[in-house]
């Protein structure tokens, strides 16, 4: 008999790409809020979500340097469970409730890739880097204080998709002034059987549920975004028309559940 939460399932279950929930995450985050073309934001929303007129195309590009663990000290195996990620969130409405939706996300680790697809994040493999901060003082340490500078980039298939730069100015005591919307995703798995290609096996609008959410040491400041053209990519359809605040903070949470907002099958 084979076992394991995820594929590949084997007699011992050791090869499963991910352990079962609960999943625990810790990260350093850098990003920039911005405003894209409201029509481009509206066009990329899935069924069930509506544009938020008050947001006027607001979006956020975020880069995260993650460490993950399950219940068996998986963080001691960083080759499997340490990774970097970049994604865009756009503001939207679910039945008049303000939410965000994730249309693009890139990751450099297969275990994180699989967890994302299980939740509904449309993850692809990419190359992601961001400036790190260290405790020992140095010109290379990127201090988290006024004047501290951070950069990040994401590439896929050999093409640069985005660069950001953030210069910190002030600490924000209340993170909800910047982050106050839950995130929605689309769990979509196509069917390969001939004649049923337009009938996905899974087609669900989901809501991310987080336990023990912590946003700490949030700093904001100036932000810059560069999104070049990339052949074969829609990423730049959400390029900025106006750039807002840059930010950096520490993030932690756990995942044990997922809410299905709508099953479209």
């Amino acid at each position: 008999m084979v076992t394991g939460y995820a594929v590949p399932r084997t007699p011992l279950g050791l090869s499963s790409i991910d352990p079962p929930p609960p999943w625990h995450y810790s990260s350093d985050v850098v990003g920039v809020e911005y405003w894209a073309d409201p029509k481009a934001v509206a066009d990329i929303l899935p069924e069930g979500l509506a544009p938020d007129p008050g947001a006027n195309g607001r979006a956020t590009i975020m880069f995260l340097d993650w460490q993950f663990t399950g219940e068996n000290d998986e963080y001691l195996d960083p080759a499997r469970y340490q990774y970097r990620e970049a994604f865009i969130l756009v503001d939207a409405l679910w039945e008049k409730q303000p939410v965000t939706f994730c249309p693009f996300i890139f990751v450099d680790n297969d275990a994180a890739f699989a967890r994302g697809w299980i939740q509904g994040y449309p993850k692809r493999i990419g190359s992601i880097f961001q400036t790190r901060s260290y405790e020992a003082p140095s010109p290379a340490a990127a201090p988290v204080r006024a004047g501290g500078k951070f950069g990040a980039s994401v590439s896929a298939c050999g093409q640069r998709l985005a660069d950001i730069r953030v210069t910190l100015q002030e600490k924000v005591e209340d993170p909800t002034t910047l982050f106050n919307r839950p995130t929605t995703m689309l769990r979509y798995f196509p069917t390969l059987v001939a004649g049923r290609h337009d009938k996905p096996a899974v087609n669900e609008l989901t809501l991310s549920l987080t336990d023990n959410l912590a946003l700490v040491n949030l700093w904001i400041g100036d932000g810059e975004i560069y999104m070049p053209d990339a052949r074969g990519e829609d990423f730049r359809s959400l390029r900025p028309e106006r750039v807002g605040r840059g930010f950096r903070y520490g993030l932690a949470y756990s995942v044990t559940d997922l809410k299905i907002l709508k099953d479209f099958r």
Side-chain angles (χ1 to χ4, degrees), residues 81-260:
Y81 296 114
Q82 199 174 76
Y83 62 100
R84 288 169 292 201
E85 193 167 67
F87 59 80
I88 288 177
L89 298 176
V90 296
D91 286 3
L93 296 176
W94 159 253
E95 296 183 346
K96 299 184 179 181
Q97 176 189 355
V99 297
T100 63
F101 173 70
C102 181
F104 297 112
I105 180 167
F106 295 85
V107 69
D108 62 4
N109 172 279
D110 62 351
F113 181 97
R115 288 194 306 275
W117 278 39
I118 291 169
Q119 295 175 83
Y121 288 102
K123 293 191 178 183
R124 290 176 51 197
I125 294 296
S127 179
I128 303 100
F129 296 94
Q130 71 185 66
T131 304
R132 291 170 172 166
S133 183
Y134 296 92
E135 292 187 12
S138 165
V144 183
R145 64 181 184 223
K149 296 180 179 180
F150 293 81
S153 66
V154 55
S155 303
C157 304
Q159 300 185 97
R160 182 65 60 92
L161 299 179
D163 290 340
I164 69 166
R165 298 289 185 271
V166 174
T167 301
L168 305 182
Q169 293 178 336
E170 61 179 310
K171 189 173 183 178
V172 176
E173 297 300 331
D174 182 6
T176 62
T177 60
L178 194 62
F179 305 103
N180 52 20
R181 294 173 179 242
T183 298
T184 59
M185 303 85 68
L186 183 66
R187 277 173 42 90
Y188 186 95
F189 293 87
T191 299
L192 185 57
V193 176
R196 298 180 59 193
H197 294 175
D198 61 344
K199 296 177 174 59
V202 178
N203 189 9
E204 300 169 342
L205 185 66
T206 68
L207 182 72
S208 176
L209 301 179
T210 57
D211 303 322
N212 304 314
L213 177 64
L215 287 78
V216 302
N217 202 20
L218 171 62
W219 283 75
I220 63 171
D222 291 334
E224 302 174 25
I225 305 174
Y226 171 62
M227 288 187 186
D229 287 323
R231 186 167 59 182
E233 298 287 350
D234 290 326
F235 193 85
R236 197 171 182 271
S237 66
L238 296 178
R239 61 190 178 276
E241 295 189 337
R242 178 166 64 92
V243 174
R245 296 167 291 183
F247 54 85
R248 186 191 187 277
Y249 64 95
L251 172 66
Y253 62 83
S254 299
V255 172
T256 59
D257 196 3
L258 183 73
K259 184 176 182 179
I260 307 299

